[in-house]
């Protein structure tokens, strides 16, 4: 397994281009199952999760071709079942359930297990599909959904901690081919849901209200092929903004939708980080002295849980006490003990981490555990004195396109060490 060797202490300067959004492209690729016609998806990031989704679509019978950042999918003749070894390995694959059910009236996917950030239940996905008339069966780790016909209905999709992003995507996709009108209440408002809705409407769906808590879908008979360019990845953008901030550098992020980053930019400003929006670019300047800030992760437009770990590194460098409270996933503090190995002083009290910021960080070997925790360890390594080796960076490659190349282009001393 590859690792990253990082020599810290270099302020990063230059420009970086943000890639297409992982969490938009995965449901959009699943949506191509809704039509037998060809779909062309552009600005597709080069990520292992995307390649995985392509293989899952192929295992279902779709023709998939990737040319640079353009993925073409033609789901002419579909099999009802896919490659479960593949499907089981990627939690995001749950979002093929809705489109497959709508297209084939039957779908079988493996239940996503838990992962290091917490349980990943799908009860809300299943509640929504049942509300559309599906029969759901769960046995030996798989969920099978059958529905000779999907009938539109009113569905409240709010869960114990708020909306579900992929749950909203699944139900929205299934409802496009249901008979009648579906109203989703307490829908997720993330930009990735809006991007999916725009692609579905380009395919001939009739969706209104995406981006807000109530989405109305008027079912149609069939959908046709379409082209779509995926939105930029707001989480990658937030990650690089924090890299600029903590290394006290000056970085211009290109291909950014700053309006998708308001909660993060607001907190960065509170922490003393200077940033300036320039059209679809964002200039970020490190602060001479960072200030402690308190953060609570919330559904969009609140502070994103996917930036919690990265923000914790910034708080570990801000002299004073910062409190970060994780309200979306119950176990998303795997990065805390690893940051501790680099000298950060953080203690976890239930859903909150108390960060005693200001202690200098020094390099050490650390272990990546999940995608965003790995990003936090890389950010910490860029600042720590000496050398940090981040092991198991396959986690990183799932969600960050060529992150070592992008960091080196900004002056970072980062080297990918082939797997031991
Ligand atoms: C999406 O996951 C993202 N993944 C996650 O990003 C992101 O952290 C998450 O949304 C929240 O923003 C993709 O889009 C591929 P949820 P998703 O359903 O949809 C509970 C990353 O790092 N819940 O919005 O699976 C759930 O346990 C990844 O890029 C239920 O209770 O997340 C969690 O506490 C990590 N029942 C909360 O809702 C359900 O049926 C939010 O989960 C579904 C979810």
């Amino acid at each position: 397994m590859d690792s990253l060797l990082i020599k810290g202490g270099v302020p990063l300067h230059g420009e970086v281009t943000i890639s297409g959004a992982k969490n938009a492209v995965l449901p959009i690729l699943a949506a191509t199952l809704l039509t037998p016609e060809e779909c062309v998806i552009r600005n597709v990031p080069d990520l292992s999760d995307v390649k995985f989704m392509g293989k899952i679509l192929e295992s279902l019978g779709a023709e998939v071709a990737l040319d640079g950042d353009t993925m073409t999918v033609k789901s002419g003749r579909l099999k009802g079942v896919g490659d479960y070894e593949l499907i089981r390995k990627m939690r995001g694959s749950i979002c093929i359930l809705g489109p497959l059910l709508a297209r084939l009236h039957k779908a079988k996917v493996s239940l996503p297990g838990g992962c290091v950030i917490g349980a990943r239940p799908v009860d809300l996905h299943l509640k929504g599909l049942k509300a559309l008339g599906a029969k759901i069966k769960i046995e030996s780790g798989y969920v099978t959904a059958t529905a000779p016909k999907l009938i539109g209905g009113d569905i409240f999709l709010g869960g114990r901690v708020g909306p579900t992003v992929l749950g909203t995507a699944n139900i929205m996709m299934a409802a496009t081919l249901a008979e009648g009108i579906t109203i989703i209440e307490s829908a997720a408002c993330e930009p990735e849901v809006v991007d999916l809705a725009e692609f579905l409407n380009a395919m001939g769906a009739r969706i209104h209200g995406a981006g807000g808590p109530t989405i109305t879908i008027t079912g149609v008979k069939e959908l046709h092929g379409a082209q779509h360019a995926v939105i930029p990845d707001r989480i990658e953008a937030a990650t690089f903004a924090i890299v600029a901030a903590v290394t006290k550098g000056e970085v211009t992020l290109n291909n950014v939708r700053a309006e998708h980053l308001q909660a993060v930019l607001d907190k960065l400003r509170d922490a003393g980080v200077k940033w300036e929006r320039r059209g679809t670019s964002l200039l970020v300047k490190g602060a001479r002295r960072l200030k402690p800030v308190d953060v609570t992760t919330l559904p969009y437009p609140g502070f994103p849980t996917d930036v919690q770990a990265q923000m914790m590194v910034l708080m570990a460098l801000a002299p004073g006490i910062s409190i970060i409270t994780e309200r979306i996933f119950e176990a998303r503090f795997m990065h805390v003990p690893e940051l501790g190995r680099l000298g950060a002083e953080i203690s976890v009290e239930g859903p909150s981490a108390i960060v005693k910021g200001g202690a200098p960080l020094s390099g050490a070997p650390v272990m990546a555990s999940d995608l965003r925790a790995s990003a936090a360890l890389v950010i910490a390594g860029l600042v720590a004195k000496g050398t940090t080796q981040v092991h198991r960076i396959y986690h990183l490659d799932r969600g960050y396109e060529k992150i070592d190349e992008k960091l080196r282009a900004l002056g970072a001393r980062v080297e990918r060490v082939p797997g031991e």
Side-chain angles (χ1 to χ4, degrees), residues 22-23 120-124 164-166 306 328-329 372:
K22 164 178 88 80
N23 292 350
R120 304 299 291 271
V122 291
D123 56 306
L124 297 170
T164 161
V165 174
L166 288 182
D306 293 347
I328 307 297
F329 289 106
R372 307 306 174 181

Side-chain angles (χ1 to χ4, degrees), residues 22-24 26-27 49 92 94 117 119-126 159-167 188 190 192 234-235 305-306 327-330 332 370-372 398:
K22 164 178 88 80
N23 292 350
L26 293 177
D49 268 11
I94 186 72
I117 63 176
R120 304 299 291 271
V122 291
D123 56 306
L124 297 170
H125 297 242
L126 304 183
R160 55 189 175 72
V161 292
T164 161
V165 174
L166 288 182
E190 272 69 3
E192 293 77 23
R234 62 192 168 97
I235 307 301
T305 173
D306 293 347
R327 288 280 179 230
I328 307 297
F329 289 106
E330 66 273 17
R332 203 168 195 172
D370 78 280
L371 170 54
R372 307 306 174 181
R398 283 190 43 220

Side-chain angles (χ1 to χ4, degrees), residues 130-149:
K130 276 186 204 151
L132 294 176
K135 293 263 172 304
I136 302 286
K137 203 168 72 178
I138 292 185
E139 59 184 359
S140 46
Y142 293 109
V143 56
T144 306
T146 47
K149 195 160 63 166

Side-chain angles (χ1 to χ4, degrees), residues 209-233:
T214 303
I215 302 179
T216 304
I217 304 107
T218 305
V220 294
K221 277 256 169 297
E222 59 189 14
L223 296 180
H224 52 73
Q227 308 221 3
H228 183 79
V230 174
I231 53 169
D233 193 317

